[in-house]
Amino acid sequence: MSESSSTLASSSQSRKSQVTSCAECRRLKLKCDRVFPCAACIRRGCGNLCPNGTLEKGKRGFLKRLEQALPPSSTTSGDGQEHSNEVAVFVSRDAAMAKRIQELEDALTQAGVDFPGIHRHTRERSESKTKTNKRARAGSRSSGTDDINTDSAMPILDSNDVAVGFGTLTIDPKNRSRYIGLSSGSAYLDSDMWGSRGKEDRCSNSTYEDHWERDIELQVLATIGAFPAYEEAVQLANNYFENLAFMYEVVPRDSFFSKHLPAIYNDSIKTFGTPLLQHTVALVGIVLALGQYFDLKKPRPSVRTRAAELFRLASFALNSHNLIDGGLKILTLQGLQTLHLMALFNLSMKDVDGAENAWQFLGLAVRSMQAQGFHIDPSRWSLPAEDLEERRRVFWEIYVYDCLQSFTVGRPCAQSKIHFDCKMPITCDHPLPSDSDPSNTIWSHTRWHTYKFTWAQVLSGILDDIFSLKKPWTYSAIMQYDQQISRFYISLPQWILSPYVKNPVDRALWTQLFPEGIDGNSCYDPYTQGGFKGLGQPEQQIQISQMNSLAIMVFTATLHLHRGPFCRALMLEPQKLLQSQYEQSIARVVSSSTAIVNVVRGMFISYPNFGIGFSMPSVLLSARLSL
């Protein structure tokens, strides 16, 4: 009996020893799973002490306990130096592995890969930490202190939610605007223009700048005094809007007559109490200059001098702040409109030299547009409907003119089509009922401008390629661009095409209306009494002019595109042009030139004075620059 009791007692004691928690868990009062080494000891790095050993208490804290947890070393010296080295190695390796594990887990989390042992809150915390680390690494890269290998280990994520907003547009009380993009610092908005300049700076420069401001204001007031009388100014402005503005409606007619012209001819403008906008003076001056030059009832030589005087007055008003700013700076919508019209004036009056000036004026206009945020659709700024439409119109008219002149002089345009999202305007100065029905075959001035803007996009894409120095263009590329131009022209509706391309003016009629003299030149003078006034109806002048202008744009671009191969064929085998390898270019040059001549003849038949005032100078200049 005693033997049996002894056996049961030893068995009970054995079972009791098996279910007892380990010594370290008992010391820390932790829950032990009693599978030795237990999970708690493994997690705390002292699995080799489980189940009977415990970590030492003391002031040395973690390192002392870690030293106890290390396995025995066969090379341990009596002074304990080996243990210290192993502790240091262990700590460094543990930190490196922990960092690497965390980075790998973050990468898996960002990639959307689930793995065992991660919970939702853990994933969210990991994502938050990853974003923080990326921002920190970005800052360290900029200072050149980050490790390249560490950066390359992190995945580069393709996300489109990194842009917050689309920049800042500010418009001050003087109607000057400035746009600051996402990558720019807010310090660029701190200047005296926005009223945030330092008090000390204002005091030091106030005397100097006030002196120049007063002097400039007096000179601009004197400029206004040199303008024609109000009644004559109205007539000159009407000449511009009736005879020239059909091509580029950069200045809305209603705004000019209701705002700009009255502001300049208001008696109160002569007092210092009224703010004076120099760019408005410049805009009115250039409109009057163009109106004077395109007075179709007077011969060109008789109006050139007065038109040039008005141009100089407008130029002075636009440049009046150069003495203070040290260079031309345009921060108003009126300034942009003035630059566009100055380019048009130079191209009309100064022939080849005017083309050079016009291209640089337009380049400055594009830069000024970007500085004012015109390349971004104004609907993002919640502007009034009238301002929204005018900003769109100004952007697209400058963009079109810059593309056309850049192609003419063989240089890159200033505004790439990938850097703007401004929508096309939906109104014009001559609205018609057919504007709202795209399927209607009746003439539409609004849709004509839309097709003109579309043509600029086609031309811009070609410009980006043919003027690329890193990718020289080949003859096959020229033929591909020629096909793009042809597809655009074929896609145009019939009502917008010039009838004189396929049905040129009869030669007998031309000889009858414009007889040649003994020297072979025409003696026709449209300004003499009883002279031929044209077959076109006055109410259709804008429509016919727009049809012919778009045709000239397309065929002139084709002429410029094939200029190189055509000249190459002339240099190589001038006697065998039809057998040249550039035969297609030769045919395109001949057909385009023929179409341009036919269109110009049609303009002379319809409106002789208008043909001399506008069509002939532009077409002859394009032909001279091309050939």
Side-chain angles (χ1 to χ4, degrees):
M1 186 72 179
S2 60
E3 183 178 354
S4 175
S5 298
S6 175
T7 303
L8 290 174
S10 62
S11 174
S12 175
Q13 185 177 359
S14 176
R15 285 195 304 267
K16 184 176 181 180
S17 63
Q18 291 179 359
V19 298
T20 301
S21 299
C22 69
E24 183 65 13
C25 287
R26 290 198 305 271
R27 183 180 71 84
L28 298 176
K29 299 181 179 178
L30 297 177
K31 184 176 181 180
C32 183
D33 58 9
R34 299 171 184 176
V35 178
F36 308 116
C38 68
C41 290
I42 294 175
R43 184 172 60 251
R44 299 180 63 248
C46 56
N48 60 321
L49 299 179
C50 188
N52 298 321
T54 60
L55 291 175
E56 178 182 333
K57 298 179 182 180
K59 296 181 180 180
R60 294 185 62 186
F62 171 75
L63 290 180
K64 180 63 178 177
R65 294 194 297 272
L66 180 60
E67 186 177 318
Q68 285 184 301
L70 289 175
S73 174
S74 59
T75 59
T76 302
S77 60
D79 57 359
Q81 182 65 32
E82 186 65 23
H83 278 296
S84 299
N85 293 338
E86 290 186 7
V87 169
V89 172
F90 184 91
V91 172
S92 61
R93 288 182 178 178
D94 180 75
M97 287 189 294
K99 180 181 179 182
R100 182 60 175 161
I101 291 171
Q102 184 63 52
E103 290 176 349
L104 294 175
E105 289 181 351
D106 292 342
L108 291 173
T109 303
Q110 291 293 330
V113 178
D114 291 329
F115 52 92
I118 185 170
H119 302 286
R120 181 180 60 85
H121 65 277
T122 306
R123 182 182 292 110
E124 292 175 352
R125 185 172 62 253
S126 176
E127 292 175 355
S128 176
K129 184 176 180 180
T130 301
K131 293 178 181 179
T132 303
N133 291 338
K134 286 183 178 180
R135 288 193 293 268
R137 282 193 299 272
S140 62
R141 277 197 299 270
S142 64
S143 61
T145 59
D146 196 20
D147 188 0
I148 297 177
N149 294 330
T150 303
D151 291 339
S152 61
M154 295 299 296
I156 301 176
L157 304 179
D158 187 10
S159 177
N160 61 356
D161 60 352
V162 295
V164 182
F166 35 81
T168 302
L169 177 69
T170 54
I171 302 177
D172 75 344
K174 293 184 179 180
N175 222 16
R176 297 177 298 182
S177 59
R178 178 182 293 179
Y179 167 76
I180 296 297
L182 289 175
S183 62
S184 176
S186 59
Y188 282 97
L189 290 174
D190 296 334
S191 70
D192 57 343
M193 175 178 173
W194 312 108
S196 59
R197 191 173 178 179
K199 181 177 180 180
E200 181 179 350
D201 293 339
R202 286 199 303 269
C203 295
S204 60
N205 294 330
S206 60
T207 303
Y208 171 79
E209 293 192 0
D210 289 347
H211 167 75
W212 283 110
E213 288 282 356
R214 287 193 296 269
D215 184 63
I216 289 171
E217 188 170 10
L218 289 173
Q219 294 184 55
V220 176
L221 286 173
T223 298
I224 297 176
F227 281 178
Y230 180 76
E231 293 74 14
E232 183 182 358
V234 171
Q235 181 58 47
L236 294 178
N238 281 322
N239 289 341
Y240 162 75
F241 284 103
E242 292 172 5
N243 300 329
L244 189 60
F246 74 90
M247 183 77 166
Y248 307 105
E249 290 189 347
V250 70
V251 182
R253 184 182 186 125
D254 293 340
S255 297
F256 183 83
F257 284 105
S258 63
K259 297 179 181 179
H260 306 317
L261 195 63
I264 299 304
Y265 282 88
N266 191 345
D267 291 337
S268 63
I269 198 68
K270 297 180 181 180
T271 65
F272 290 104
T274 303
L276 183 62
L277 299 179
Q278 287 85 357
H279 292 175
T280 302
V281 178
L283 176 60
V284 172
I286 190 61
V287 168
L288 299 183
L290 288 168
Q292 181 71 73
Y293 185 72
F294 284 91
D295 186 351
L296 303 184
K297 296 179 182 180
K298 299 178 181 179
R300 300 281 74 74
S302 65
V303 297
R304 292 180 67 93
T305 301
R306 179 56 176 159
E309 291 176 358
L310 291 171
F311 175 83
R312 284 192 291 270
L313 294 176
S315 179
F316 171 77
L318 185 68
N319 290 271
S320 57
H321 265 76
N322 279 3
L323 295 176
I324 296 178
D325 298 329
L328 189 59
K329 181 174 63 176
I330 303 299
L331 295 174
T332 64
L333 182 144
Q334 292 86 353
L336 295 175
Q337 294 167 326
T338 302
L339 286 174
H340 183 284
L341 296 183
M342 283 185 170
L344 183 57
F345 184 88
N346 274 271
L347 190 61
S348 302
M349 271 196 63
K350 300 181 180 180
D351 200 38
V352 177
D353 292 337
E356 180 71 26
N357 297 341
W359 183 77
Q360 296 198 32
F361 271 121
L362 293 169
L364 176 60
V366 172
R367 271 297 193 192
S368 302
M369 282 198 309
Q370 294 169 347
Q372 299 183 54
F374 277 73
H375 59 297
I376 297 178
D377 191 73
S379 61
R380 296 186 174 186
W381 316 118
S382 301
L383 297 176
E386 182 180 358
D387 295 343
L388 183 147
E389 190 67 10
E390 187 171 8
R391 286 177 69 95
R392 287 175 175 172
R393 187 186 295 196
V394 168
F395 172 83
W396 278 98
E397 294 294 2
I398 293 178
Y399 177 68
V400 168
Y401 206 7
D402 181 46
C403 289
L404 293 176
Q405 293 310 307
S406 296
F407 207 98
T408 299
V409 298
R411 297 169 183 165
C413 56
Q415 176 69 64
S416 175
K417 62 181 181 180
I418 66 173
H419 292 149
F420 72 86
D421 66 352
C422 183
K423 297 179 181 178
M424 297 181 186
I426 58 176
T427 61
C428 73
D429 286 340
H430 304 88
L432 293 174
S434 58
D435 291 347
S436 59
D437 186 4
S439 63
N440 199 327
T441 58
I442 302 176
W443 178 266
S444 170
H445 296 288
T446 302
R447 282 188 283 153
W448 181 86
H449 286 287
T450 301
Y451 282 111
K452 179 187 67 176
F453 299 146
T454 305
W455 165 243
Q457 289 181 309
V458 175
L459 206 58
S460 176
I462 298 175
L463 283 168
D464 288 342
D465 289 339
I466 65 176
F467 296 131
S468 173
L469 298 179
K470 296 183 178 180
K471 182 183 177 182
W473 49 320
T474 61
Y475 188 61
S476 60
I478 292 177
M479 298 310 300
Q480 291 178 0
Y481 303 142
D482 180 82
Q483 293 177 4
Q484 292 182 24
I485 296 176
S486 299
R487 284 195 297 268
F488 170 80
Y489 188 75
I490 295 173
S491 67
L492 295 174
Q494 290 297 318
W495 55 264
I496 205 173
L497 300 177
S498 173
Y500 304 113
V501 175
K502 292 185 178 180
N503 302 298
V505 177
D506 184 75
R507 187 173 184 84
L509 176 61
W510 180 266
T511 303
Q512 177 184 350
L513 295 175
F514 308 104
E516 295 181 356
I518 299 176
D519 57 354
N521 297 324
S522 175
C523 299
Y524 170 74
D525 186 358
Y527 303 103
T528 58
Q529 288 290 339
F532 174 63
K533 302 304 179 183
L535 302 177
Q537 300 297 321
E539 62 273 10
Q540 292 184 330
Q541 176 176 309
I542 295 179
Q543 175 181 340
I544 298 299
S545 301
Q546 287 179 335
M547 294 168 63
N548 293 332
S549 297
L550 187 59
I552 289 175
M553 289 182 195
V554 175
F555 289 111
T556 301
T558 305
L559 203 63
H560 292 318
L561 182 64
H562 290 278
R563 175 185 178 274
F566 178 79
C567 295
R568 185 67 174 170
L570 287 177
M571 290 189 299
L572 293 177
E573 296 179 307
Q575 306 300 329
K576 300 180 180 180
L577 292 181
L578 296 181
Q579 289 79 33
S580 172
Q581 58 179 330
Y582 306 117
E583 176 185 357
Q584 290 178 301
S585 291
I586 296 172
R588 294 294 285 157
V589 168
V590 172
S591 62
S592 298
S593 302
T594 303
I596 292 174
V597 171
N598 290 337
V599 170
V600 174
R601 284 186 172 181
M603 280 298 298
F604 268 89
I605 290 292
S606 303
Y607 310 99
N609 294 18
F610 191 77
I612 292 177
F614 177 76
S615 298
M616 203 58 187
S618 300
V619 173
L620 291 179
L621 175 59
S622 296
R624 289 176 60 186
L625 290 174
S626 179
L627 300 177

